[in-house]
Structures are given as C-alpha cells and as structure tokens.
Amino acid sequence: MLLAVDVSFRNFGYTVWKSGTLVSCGVVQTEKCKDRNMYAFAQDAVEVSGAFAAFCAMVEAIGIRALLLELPHGSQSAAAAKCGGYAIGLMACLATRYGLPMEYVTPQRVKKLASGSATATKQQMIAKACSLAPVDVTPGGRSTIYMCAGATFPEGRFEHVADSICLYHAARETNVVKMFG
C-alpha cells in the first residue's frame, strides 16, 4: 500500500492506494497548542507531533509500504518556512522510523496534471481529482460536500484530498507508484 500525502503544516491531505485503486483518504490536521506559557517554536513542535502520531498509527494499522509526497514550496514569511520545515521533517521521520521508501513530487508537476499549467487553482485541482477518482459531489454553493473512499468532506477539507489524488496520478511513472501503489 502506498500513502500519498499533500504535505503542509496544518492540513495533510492523504490518499492510500493499492494496485492503482484508492482505498482510503482523509486529512490529518495539526491541533493548535493551547499552552501559552510555551515558546512559539516549542508550540509548533508540539502541534506537529500530533500529526506524526496519527501517521504512525496509520502506517501500523493499514500496512503502508511506501510514501509519495508533494513537498511544500516557497513561503510568504519566515514563520511559514519554519512550519514547512517541520512538516517535511515529520514525513522524513515517518519514513525513517518504518524504513519506508519515499519519493517527492513538486507542486508544479501536480498542478500541471490538473490544468496544463504550474498555477492551477484550487477549483481546477478539485475538478481534476473528481475526474480521476470515484468522488460523489453534492453541490451546495459554499457548502458543497464530497464523498470519496467512504469518507465525507466539506470543500475546504476536500481540497487537500484532491491535491493528494492529483499527486498520485502525476507520479504514476515513479518507482514507488509502480512498486507499491
């Protein structure tokens, strides 16, 4: 089984693939640290550790054998760059802890799949994901609901899963997808 992850600090969109079939999907969210007596950098570490625990449980329960990652790129601030570093470190630690091979794909490559350009919008990514995987959509304007692999998502959360679906398809020719997904 292959775990494809749209890596970020707050919302890690993920999909699990077995022999080219989407078997599970979701969003792992970091929870805001409520300890205001702690330095901000320490709060970030505490926040990302919860996501690490969730991914460890997933690897153990499902039997993940490889990782496919879309890495965050660029930042608008030093704080955002720091959080991106935490997120990348989390995935590297996960791979090391379980001896998982991992492969990286750039966001530009994933967006090109969705729109033919490296600057696809969230709506283009969602539309492409819906064309690539079995997704049921219940329109509702701002409250559109997406059902995929037995899970239900509002649009704001599904966009992270959509990125992971597109990630998998953009990387179909990579070694980890050929071997594990």
Side-chain angles (χ1 to χ4, degrees):
M1 297 244 231
L2 174 71
L3 176 63
V5 182
D6 173 37
V7 179
S8 74
F9 184 73
R10 285 282 169 228
N11 297 291
F12 293 78
Y14 72 87
T15 49
V16 177
W17 301 84
K18 181 177 182 179
S19 303
T21 301
L22 176 62
V23 296
S24 179
C25 61
V27 178
V28 172
Q29 290 186 298
T30 55
E31 294 200 24
K32 203 84 165 116
C33 180
K34 294 177 175 55
D35 185 348
R36 296 297 163 222
N37 295 318
M38 193 181 288
Y39 288 112
F41 68 85
Q43 288 176 350
D44 293 338
V46 168
E47 290 170 16
V48 81
S49 68
F52 181 71
F55 279 114
C56 286
M58 188 183 310
V59 167
E60 292 171 12
I62 300 174
I64 300 298
R65 298 189 51 220
L67 301 175
L68 177 64
L69 309 171
E70 178 186 348
L71 294 182
H73 68 291
S75 300
Q76 298 294 324
S77 68
K82 175 187 67 171
C83 289
Y86 275 119
I88 294 166
L90 176 154
M91 299 313 290
C93 288
L94 185 70
T96 301
R97 178 175 181 169
Y98 294 100
L100 303 174
M102 63 181 169
E103 203 148 341
Y104 304 100
V105 177
T106 65
Q108 294 83 356
R109 182 172 170 186
V110 176
K111 289 177 185 293
K112 255 189 166 165
L113 170 81
S115 69
S117 131
T119 58
T121 66
K122 289 178 184 182
Q123 284 310 118
Q124 288 173 313
M125 297 296 289
I126 289 171
K128 186 64 174 182
C130 290
S131 76
L132 294 170
V135 178
D136 292 325
V137 182
T138 304
R142 298 183 107 194
S143 60
T144 299
I145 301 296
Y146 297 83
M147 291 168 280
C148 180
T152 303
F153 307 94
E155 186 170 334
R157 286 179 55 98
F158 183 72
E159 71 181 72
H160 306 292
V161 173
D163 285 351
S164 181
I165 291 168
C166 290
L167 162 64
Y168 175 82
H169 286 278
R172 294 293 301 249
E173 296 305 314
T174 63
N175 288 330
V176 296
V177 172
K178 288 179 181 178
M179 293 170 66
F180 301 102

